[in-house]
mmCIF file with all atom_site columns, all heavy atoms in Angstrom:
data_model
loop_
_atom_site.group_PDB
_atom_site.id
_atom_site.type_symbol
_atom_site.label_atom_id
_atom_site.label_alt_id
_atom_site.label_comp_id
_atom_site.label_asym_id
_atom_site.label_entity_id
_atom_site.label_seq_id
_atom_site.pdbx_PDB_ins_code
_atom_site.Cartn_x
_atom_site.Cartn_y
_atom_site.Cartn_z
_atom_site.occupancy
_atom_site.B_iso_or_equiv
_atom_site.pdbx_formal_charge
_atom_site.auth_seq_id
_atom_site.auth_comp_id
_atom_site.auth_asym_id
_atom_site.auth_atom_id
_atom_site.pdbx_PDB_model_num
ATOM 1  N N   . GLN A 1 259 ? 58.538 -97.720  35.620 1.00 0.00 ? 273 GLN A N   1
ATOM 2  C CA  . GLN A 1 259 ? 58.448 -98.116  34.207 1.00 0.00 ? 273 GLN A CA  1
ATOM 3  C C   . GLN A 1 259 ? 59.849 -98.328  33.639 1.00 0.00 ? 273 GLN A C   1
ATOM 4  O O   . GLN A 1 259 ? 60.099 -99.302  32.910 1.00 0.00 ? 273 GLN A O   1
ATOM 5  C CB  . GLN A 1 259 ? 57.726 -97.029  33.391 1.00 0.00 ? 273 GLN A CB  1
ATOM 6  C CG  . GLN A 1 259 ? 56.369 -96.618  33.919 1.00 0.00 ? 273 GLN A CG  1
ATOM 7  C CD  . GLN A 1 259 ? 55.447 -97.792  34.145 1.00 0.00 ? 273 GLN A CD  1
ATOM 8  O OE1 . GLN A 1 259 ? 55.219 -98.604  33.252 1.00 0.00 ? 273 GLN A OE1 1
ATOM 9  N NE2 . GLN A 1 259 ? 54.891 -97.889  35.343 1.00 0.00 ? 273 GLN A NE2 1
ATOM 10 N N   . LEU A 1 260 ? 60.759 -97.432  33.994 1.00 0.00 ? 274 LEU A N   1
ATOM 11 C CA  . LEU A 1 260 ? 62.120 -97.500  33.466 1.00 0.00 ? 274 LEU A CA  1
ATOM 12 C C   . LEU A 1 260 ? 62.838 -98.760  33.918 1.00 0.00 ? 274 LEU A C   1
ATOM 13 O O   . LEU A 1 260 ? 63.440 -99.485  33.100 1.00 0.00 ? 274 LEU A O   1
ATOM 14 C CB  . LEU A 1 260 ? 62.903 -96.256  33.899 1.00 0.00 ? 274 LEU A CB  1
ATOM 15 C CG  . LEU A 1 260 ? 64.394 -96.215  33.529 1.00 0.00 ? 274 LEU A CG  1
ATOM 16 C CD1 . LEU A 1 260 ? 64.577 -96.271  32.019 1.00 0.00 ? 274 LEU A CD1 1
ATOM 17 C CD2 . LEU A 1 260 ? 65.055 -94.958  34.114 1.00 0.00 ? 274 LEU A CD2 1
ATOM 18 N N   . ILE A 1 261 ? 62.794 -99.047  35.206 1.00 0.00 ? 275 ILE A N   1
ATOM 19 C CA  . ILE A 1 261 ? 63.550 -100.199 35.707 1.00 0.00 ? 275 ILE A CA  1
ATOM 20 C C   . ILE A 1 261 ? 62.943 -101.505 35.209 1.00 0.00 ? 275 ILE A C   1
ATOM 21 O O   . ILE A 1 261 ? 63.666 -102.489 34.984 1.00 0.00 ? 275 ILE A O   1
ATOM 22 C CB  . ILE A 1 261 ? 63.660 -100.178 37.258 1.00 0.00 ? 275 ILE A CB  1
ATOM 23 C CG1 . ILE A 1 261 ? 64.742 -101.158 37.734 1.00 0.00 ? 275 ILE A CG1 1
ATOM 24 C CG2 . ILE A 1 261 ? 62.327 -100.478 37.910 1.00 0.00 ? 275 ILE A CG2 1
ATOM 25 C CD1 . ILE A 1 261 ? 66.132 -100.867 37.222 1.00 0.00 ? 275 ILE A CD1 1
ATOM 26 N N   . ALA A 1 262 ? 61.641 -101.534 34.989 1.00 0.00 ? 276 ALA A N   1
ATOM 27 C CA  . ALA A 1 262 ? 61.012 -102.739 34.444 1.00 0.00 ? 276 ALA A CA  1
ATOM 28 C C   . ALA A 1 262 ? 61.518 -103.015 33.026 1.00 0.00 ? 276 ALA A C   1
ATOM 29 O O   . ALA A 1 262 ? 61.842 -104.163 32.672 1.00 0.00 ? 276 ALA A O   1
ATOM 30 C CB  . ALA A 1 262 ? 59.494 -102.600 34.454 1.00 0.00 ? 276 ALA A CB  1
ATOM 31 N N   . GLU A 1 263 ? 61.600 -101.962 32.218 1.00 0.00 ? 277 GLU A N   1
ATOM 32 C CA  . GLU A 1 263 ? 62.072 -102.115 30.841 1.00 0.00 ? 277 GLU A CA  1
ATOM 33 C C   . GLU A 1 263 ? 63.540 -102.557 30.804 1.00 0.00 ? 277 GLU A C   1
ATOM 34 O O   . GLU A 1 263 ? 63.912 -103.475 30.069 1.00 0.00 ? 277 GLU A O   1
ATOM 35 C CB  . GLU A 1 263 ? 61.917 -100.795 30.084 1.00 0.00 ? 277 GLU A CB  1
ATOM 36 C CG  . GLU A 1 263 ? 60.473 -100.371 29.864 1.00 0.00 ? 277 GLU A CG  1
ATOM 37 C CD  . GLU A 1 263 ? 60.372 -98.972  29.290 1.00 0.00 ? 277 GLU A CD  1
ATOM 38 O OE1 . GLU A 1 263 ? 61.427 -98.359  29.009 1.00 0.00 ? 277 GLU A OE1 1
ATOM 39 O OE2 . GLU A 1 263 ? 59.236 -98.475  29.133 1.00 0.00 ? 277 GLU A OE2 1
ATOM 40 N N   . GLU A 1 264 ? 64.372 -101.886 31.591 1.00 0.00 ? 278 GLU A N   1
ATOM 41 C CA  . GLU A 1 264 ? 65.807 -102.161 31.549 1.00 0.00 ? 278 GLU A CA  1
ATOM 42 C C   . GLU A 1 264 ? 66.138 -103.529 32.153 1.00 0.00 ? 278 GLU A C   1
ATOM 43 O O   . GLU A 1 264 ? 67.033 -104.226 31.681 1.00 0.00 ? 278 GLU A O   1
ATOM 44 C CB  . GLU A 1 264 ? 66.570 -101.062 32.295 1.00 0.00 ? 278 GLU A CB  1
ATOM 45 C CG  . GLU A 1 264 ? 66.447 -99.684  31.659 1.00 0.00 ? 278 GLU A CG  1
ATOM 46 C CD  . GLU A 1 264 ? 67.334 -99.528  30.430 1.00 0.00 ? 278 GLU A CD  1
ATOM 47 O OE1 . GLU A 1 264 ? 68.377 -100.204 30.352 1.00 0.00 ? 278 GLU A OE1 1
ATOM 48 O OE2 . GLU A 1 264 ? 66.976 -98.725  29.549 1.00 0.00 ? 278 GLU A OE2 1
ATOM 49 N N   . THR A 1 265 ? 65.420 -103.922 33.185 1.00 0.00 ? 279 THR A N   1
ATOM 50 C CA  . THR A 1 265 ? 65.649 -105.237 33.794 1.00 0.00 ? 279 THR A CA  1
ATOM 51 C C   . THR A 1 265 ? 65.311 -106.341 32.808 1.00 0.00 ? 279 THR A C   1
ATOM 52 O O   . THR A 1 265 ? 66.031 -107.340 32.700 1.00 0.00 ? 279 THR A O   1
ATOM 53 C CB  . THR A 1 265 ? 64.819 -105.384 35.083 1.00 0.00 ? 279 THR A CB  1
ATOM 54 O OG1 . THR A 1 265 ? 65.192 -104.354 36.008 1.00 0.00 ? 279 THR A OG1 1
ATOM 55 C CG2 . THR A 1 265 ? 65.056 -106.739 35.737 1.00 0.00 ? 279 THR A CG2 1
ATOM 56 N N   . ALA A 1 266 ? 64.211 -106.158 32.091 1.00 0.00 ? 280 ALA A N   1
ATOM 57 C CA  . ALA A 1 266 ? 63.833 -107.138 31.072 1.00 0.00 ? 280 ALA A CA  1
ATOM 58 C C   . ALA A 1 266 ? 64.875 -107.183 29.953 1.00 0.00 ? 280 ALA A C   1
ATOM 59 O O   . ALA A 1 266 ? 65.232 -108.263 29.456 1.00 0.00 ? 280 ALA A O   1
ATOM 60 C CB  . ALA A 1 266 ? 62.454 -106.801 30.508 1.00 0.00 ? 280 ALA A CB  1
ATOM 61 N N   . HIS A 1 267 ? 65.383 -106.013 29.568 1.00 0.00 ? 281 HIS A N   1
ATOM 62 C CA  . HIS A 1 267 ? 66.359 -105.945 28.475 1.00 0.00 ? 281 HIS A CA  1
ATOM 63 C C   . HIS A 1 267 ? 67.639 -106.706 28.821 1.00 0.00 ? 281 HIS A C   1
ATOM 64 O O   . HIS A 1 267 ? 68.194 -107.422 27.976 1.00 0.00 ? 281 HIS A O   1
ATOM 65 C CB  . HIS A 1 267 ? 66.689 -104.481 28.163 1.00 0.00 ? 281 HIS A CB  1
ATOM 66 C CG  . HIS A 1 267 ? 67.728 -104.303 27.096 1.00 0.00 ? 281 HIS A CG  1
ATOM 67 N ND1 . HIS A 1 267 ? 67.483 -104.539 25.761 1.00 0.00 ? 281 HIS A ND1 1
ATOM 68 C CD2 . HIS A 1 267 ? 69.046 -103.942 27.175 1.00 0.00 ? 281 HIS A CD2 1
ATOM 69 C CE1 . HIS A 1 267 ? 68.579 -104.323 25.066 1.00 0.00 ? 281 HIS A CE1 1
ATOM 70 N NE2 . HIS A 1 267 ? 69.546 -103.960 25.894 1.00 0.00 ? 281 HIS A NE2 1
ATOM 71 N N   . TYR A 1 268 ? 68.111 -106.558 30.048 1.00 0.00 ? 282 TYR A N   1
ATOM 72 C CA  . TYR A 1 268 ? 69.366 -107.205 30.442 1.00 0.00 ? 282 TYR A CA  1
ATOM 73 C C   . TYR A 1 268 ? 69.136 -108.557 31.122 1.00 0.00 ? 282 TYR A C   1
ATOM 74 O O   . TYR A 1 268 ? 70.083 -109.168 31.605 1.00 0.00 ? 282 TYR A O   1
ATOM 75 C CB  . TYR A 1 268 ? 70.170 -106.275 31.358 1.00 0.00 ? 282 TYR A CB  1
ATOM 76 C CG  . TYR A 1 268 ? 70.753 -105.101 30.605 1.00 0.00 ? 282 TYR A CG  1
ATOM 77 C CD1 . TYR A 1 268 ? 70.211 -103.825 30.734 1.00 0.00 ? 282 TYR A CD1 1
ATOM 78 C CD2 . TYR A 1 268 ? 71.828 -105.269 29.739 1.00 0.00 ? 282 TYR A CD2 1
ATOM 79 C CE1 . TYR A 1 268 ? 70.728 -102.742 30.033 1.00 0.00 ? 282 TYR A CE1 1
ATOM 80 C CE2 . TYR A 1 268 ? 72.358 -104.199 29.033 1.00 0.00 ? 282 TYR A CE2 1
ATOM 81 C CZ  . TYR A 1 268 ? 71.802 -102.945 29.174 1.00 0.00 ? 282 TYR A CZ  1
ATOM 82 O OH  . TYR A 1 268 ? 72.317 -101.888 28.461 1.00 0.00 ? 282 TYR A OH  1
ATOM 83 N N   . GLN A 1 269 ? 67.878 -108.993 31.156 1.00 0.00 ? 283 GLN A N   1
ATOM 84 C CA  . GLN A 1 269 ? 67.524 -110.301 31.711 1.00 0.00 ? 283 GLN A CA  1
ATOM 85 C C   . GLN A 1 269 ? 68.086 -110.488 33.117 1.00 0.00 ? 283 GLN A C   1
ATOM 86 O O   . GLN A 1 269 ? 68.668 -111.536 33.449 1.00 0.00 ? 283 GLN A O   1
ATOM 87 C CB  . GLN A 1 269 ? 68.006 -111.419 30.783 1.00 0.00 ? 283 GLN A CB  1
ATOM 88 C CG  . GLN A 1 269 ? 67.367 -111.376 29.403 1.00 0.00 ? 283 GLN A CG  1
ATOM 89 C CD  . GLN A 1 269 ? 67.896 -112.454 28.476 1.00 0.00 ? 283 GLN A CD  1
ATOM 90 O OE1 . GLN A 1 269 ? 68.413 -113.473 28.928 1.00 0.00 ? 283 GLN A OE1 1
ATOM 91 N NE2 . GLN A 1 269 ? 67.772 -112.245 27.174 1.00 0.00 ? 283 GLN A NE2 1
ATOM 92 N N   . ALA A 1 270 ? 67.939 -109.465 33.936 1.00 0.00 ? 284 ALA A N   1
ATOM 93 C CA  . ALA A 1 270 ? 68.374 -109.547 35.330 1.00 0.00 ? 284 ALA A CA  1
ATOM 94 C C   . ALA A 1 270 ? 67.284 -110.208 36.169 1.00 0.00 ? 284 ALA A C   1
ATOM 95 O O   . ALA A 1 270 ? 66.104 -110.206 35.811 1.00 0.00 ? 284 ALA A O   1
ATOM 96 C CB  . ALA A 1 270 ? 68.669 -108.148 35.866 1.00 0.00 ? 284 ALA A CB  1
#
Side-chain angles (χ1 to χ4, degrees):
Q273 306 308 306
L274 175 61
I275 195 61
E277 293 172 3
E278 296 283 332
T279 301
H281 177 73
Y282 288 106
Q283 298 178 23

